[in-house]
Amino acid sequence: MSSWHKTLLISALSLALATTTVYAAPSPGEALAKAAGIPWPAVIAHRGASFDAPESTRASYLLARELGADYLEMDLQRTRDGQLIALHDTNLKRTTDIGQKFPERKDQPVSQFTLAELRTLDAGSWFNQAYPQRARASYAGLKILTLDEIIDIAEQTPQHRPGLYIETKAPQLFPGIEKDLHAKLQQRGWITANGDVASGHHLILQTFERNSLTLLDQYMHKVPKILLLWVGEGGMEPASDKAFDATTGQTKAAYYAQQQPKDHAEFERWIDFAKANGAAGTGPSAALTQGGDQSYMDLVQPWMNKLTHDKGLLVHVYTVDDPVDYKKVMEAGADGIFTNRASELLKFYKRPATRSVAEILKEQGY
Ligand code: G3P
Ligand code: CA
């Protein structure tokens, strides 16, 4: 072979390596996912495609569905009149105009409002103000959605039906919500009478709260469940109990990045709890390269993922939007990613959407 041909061959091999999926295969998680009927690696659209549209709204979930995300992620809460809805924060101040519509009640939790009252709120305009470069006039006036409406969005597609990935958010505020969720999913035909996930449906339940995991397992034993991981209040015991001090100039992300479980045994205790209470996997946080307000503790270190896999559990890491971090967490052994940018993650996984975000939004009337 001539040196010119050798150079050409080396260049071609380098290009092939650079464009091949970068994480190691086969992953032990891949077999676990397959056995549980869970896509691998999973694209979990965090509050929908919430980088490009207001989180947890029709625009966000339609976009995630049309991009081809595996799951629509949502945070489940309950109204005063017992309706199951999707909202992340436990109050309405950040993502609605509650301050204008109900100024005297603006600090009240979601559970104090009826669905009819929540329907009067604008859950889209805050996005236009926060992200003017991604603003769209059609986002103004978007509504808070019920679980029923998100199920409708998942179902009403002739092409790709996404799964649902439902978190019981602050479940201590909503006694009995696990039972309500089971009733709704059964009523909508996502869970059969004998407790299986209905054929052709993908469904995962998630929670940070150990009590809620136990209850979810009680009512929905055969549905895959994920225990979300955290260090500190409500989560694993930290190695250091030093509190965050904004006066030092340290960012919250830098503080979180230093937080670690007390020791290996503490981490293992949580994995064992998850396993013993019916979880199919865990949802660890990630420390992000660029920091930011979704950058938390690095609970996706290779030894942690190996331990989790060795115990037969999957790893779905939250919440990652940057290809640098996609690569990092996948190389560390993750089996799926919660992302606000389903379009980017699909590209990274070499499953790019067939239409752009702008094309889909236009097509869907936004
Ligand atoms: O549910 C996974 C991830 O969403 C957890 O964080 O606060 O966005 O619900 P959060
Ligand atoms: Ca969530």
Side-chain angles (χ1 to χ4, degrees), residues 210 227 236-237 262-276 307 311:
R210 285 173 292 179
L227 181 63
M236 290 177 228
E237 192 179 334
K262 186 175 149 218
D263 51 28
H264 281 220
E266 173 65 357
F267 183 83
E268 189 167 6
R269 264 193 292 278
W270 278 71
I271 306 307
D272 287 341
F273 180 90
K275 176 93 181 170
L307 186 151
K311 296 201 183 244

Side-chain angles (χ1 to χ4, degrees), residues 44 46-47 55 73-75 87-89 165-167 169 206-208 226 228-230 283-284 294 296 316-319 338 340:
I44 306 155
H46 184 246
R47 310 179 203 169
E55 65 186 58
E73 195 265 352
M74 62 170 287
D75 303 287
L87 196 80
H88 177 267
D89 300 5
Y165 205 123
I166 306 172
E167 177 183 352
K169 181 59 80 185
Q206 46 159 342
T207 184
F208 281 103
I226 294 287
L228 299 166
L229 301 181
W230 182 259
Q294 290 188 125
Y296 304 117
H316 286 168
V317 55
Y318 68 93
T319 300
F338 293 82
N340 302 313

Side-chain angles (χ1 to χ4, degrees), residues 161-280:
R161 178 164 68 196
L164 292 178
Y165 205 123
I166 306 172
E167 177 183 352
T168 53
K169 181 59 80 185
Q172 69 281 4
L173 301 177
F174 306 101
I177 199 165
E178 296 83 2
K179 188 176 181 202
D180 293 351
L181 177 59
H182 172 245
K184 176 56 69 183
L185 292 169
Q186 205 166 53
Q187 180 210 339
R188 291 299 304 257
W190 282 58
I191 296 179
T192 65
N194 65 7
D196 292 309
V197 176
S199 171
H201 294 66
H202 285 117
L203 182 60
I204 298 182
L205 311 174
Q206 46 159 342
T207 184
F208 281 103
E209 303 297 328
R210 285 173 292 179
N211 287 345
S212 192
L213 177 65
T214 305
L215 288 166
L216 289 170
D217 193 45
Q218 185 182 317
Y219 290 107
M220 291 170 274
H221 182 64
K222 295 183 190 168
V223 179
K225 289 166 288 289
I226 294 287
L227 181 63
L228 299 166
L229 301 181
W230 182 259
V231 175
E233 196 183 340
M236 290 177 228
E237 192 179 334
S240 155
D241 55 9
K242 198 172 137 216
F244 174 64
D245 179 1
T247 64
T248 64
Q250 187 185 37
T251 64
K252 204 95 188 254
Y255 169 76
Y256 282 136
Q258 288 174 354
Q259 292 289 92
Q260 282 296 300
K262 186 175 149 218
D263 51 28
H264 281 220
E266 173 65 357
F267 183 83
E268 189 167 6
R269 264 193 292 278
W270 278 71
I271 306 307
D272 287 341
F273 180 90
K275 176 93 181 170
N277 286 269

